[in-house]
């Protein structure tokens, strides 16, 4: 069993990563393999609306979107993690998800998915709502936690000190492990 965790933050070891690492710890405690994929290392372009993916079976822009889709085929579940910018997930991450779900959404059907957001203070519920729509539109079981899937803090240390948020991140992993 394996779960991929997609880190949509431009900071490889920042707040979102800190929360995802706690989710991964819960999965590993349950015997599930994990891989955290950091997505900000390459520029991700938005969907062109060309619909070439329908004929090709992959996105016409051959970048990390298609590479992630290949890894997801072998995964039993996935977690989407993003920082909150202006009450929304990271725009680059949304561009990636738009293309991933447009070109490969049919392959993700029935694959459990959880979403997690990280913010200094506010905008978390709007950002979480935006992320949750991706798995919901592709018939993926949406994994919940013991409360809203969010952590708060301006630095990784502040996120670690958000004991309730870290508990939520851990329970997200436990619930994913139970389902897969």
């Amino acid at each position: 069993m394996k779960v991929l965790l997609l880190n949509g933050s431009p900071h490889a070891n920042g707040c979102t990563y800190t929360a995802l690492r706690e989710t991964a710890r819960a999965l590993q405690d349950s015997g599930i393999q994990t891989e955290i994929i950091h997505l900000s290392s390459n520029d991700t372009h938005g969907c062109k609306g060309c619909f070439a993916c329908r004929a090709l079976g992959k996105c016409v822009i051959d970048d990390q979107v298609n590479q992630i889709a290949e890894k997801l085929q072998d995964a039993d579940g996935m977690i989407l993690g993003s920082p909150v910018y202006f009450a929304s997930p990271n725009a680059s991450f949304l561009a990636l998800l738009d293309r991933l779900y447009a070109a490969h959404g049919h392959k993700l059907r029935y694959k459990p998915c959880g979403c997690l957001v990280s913010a200094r203070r506010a905008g978390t519920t709007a950002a979480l709502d935006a992320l949750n729509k991706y798995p919901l539109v592709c018939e993926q079981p949406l994994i919940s936690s013991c409360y809203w899937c969010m952590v708060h803090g301006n630095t990784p240390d502040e996120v670690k000190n958000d004991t309730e948020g870290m508990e939520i991140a851990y329970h997200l992993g436990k619930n994913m492990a139970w389902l897969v």
Side-chain angles (χ1 to χ4, degrees):
M1 294 284 191
K2 185 172 186 177
V3 173
L4 292 183
L5 298 93
L6 306 182
N7 180 7
S9 173
H11 306 287
N13 297 309
C15 297
T16 304
Y17 171 78
T18 301
L20 287 172
R21 199 175 63 213
E22 186 68 4
T23 303
R25 186 173 72 85
L27 287 158
Q28 293 162 359
D29 287 350
S30 298
I32 308 289
Q33 289 183 316
T34 63
E35 181 180 355
I36 298 176
I37 300 173
H38 179 64
L39 304 174
S40 70
S41 59
N42 299 323
D43 289 330
T44 302
H45 300 281
C47 181
K48 296 180 178 191
C50 66
F51 301 108
C53 58
R54 292 181 180 171
L56 294 173
K58 65 178 187 172
C59 185
V60 69
I61 305 169
D62 197 19
D63 62 5
Q64 65 182 340
V65 170
N66 292 328
Q67 295 165 6
I68 290 166
E70 284 181 32
K71 286 187 173 211
L72 283 170
Q73 285 185 4
D74 296 328
D76 299 292
M78 58 193 283
I79 304 284
L80 308 176
S82 180
V84 175
Y85 297 150
F86 299 98
S88 179
N90 177 2
S92 296
F93 190 38
L94 289 177
L96 182 138
L97 293 174
D98 283 351
R99 289 181 38 225
L100 178 69
Y101 276 84
H104 303 281
H106 63 286
K107 299 173 196 168
L108 301 176
R109 191 177 192 191
Y110 307 128
K111 188 177 297 282
C113 183
C115 300
L116 180 65
V117 296
S118 170
R120 180 185 70 81
R121 196 161 185 85
T124 50
T125 54
L128 188 59
D129 180 54
L131 286 183
N132 284 341
K133 288 180 175 151
Y134 289 95
L136 290 175
V137 78
C138 282
E139 300 180 68
Q140 293 178 269
L142 186 60
I143 305 302
S144 63
S145 184
C146 56
Y147 199 64
W148 305 117
C149 296
M150 56 186 70
V151 298
H152 291 90
N154 200 38
T155 66
D157 285 337
E158 288 180 8
V159 169
K160 288 177 191 172
N161 287 330
D162 176 14
T163 55
E164 183 180 18
M166 293 301 275
E167 180 182 345
I168 291 165
Y170 188 85
H171 276 273
L172 177 62
K174 285 303 239 185
N175 290 345
M176 173 66 81
W178 180 85
L179 190 62
V180 298

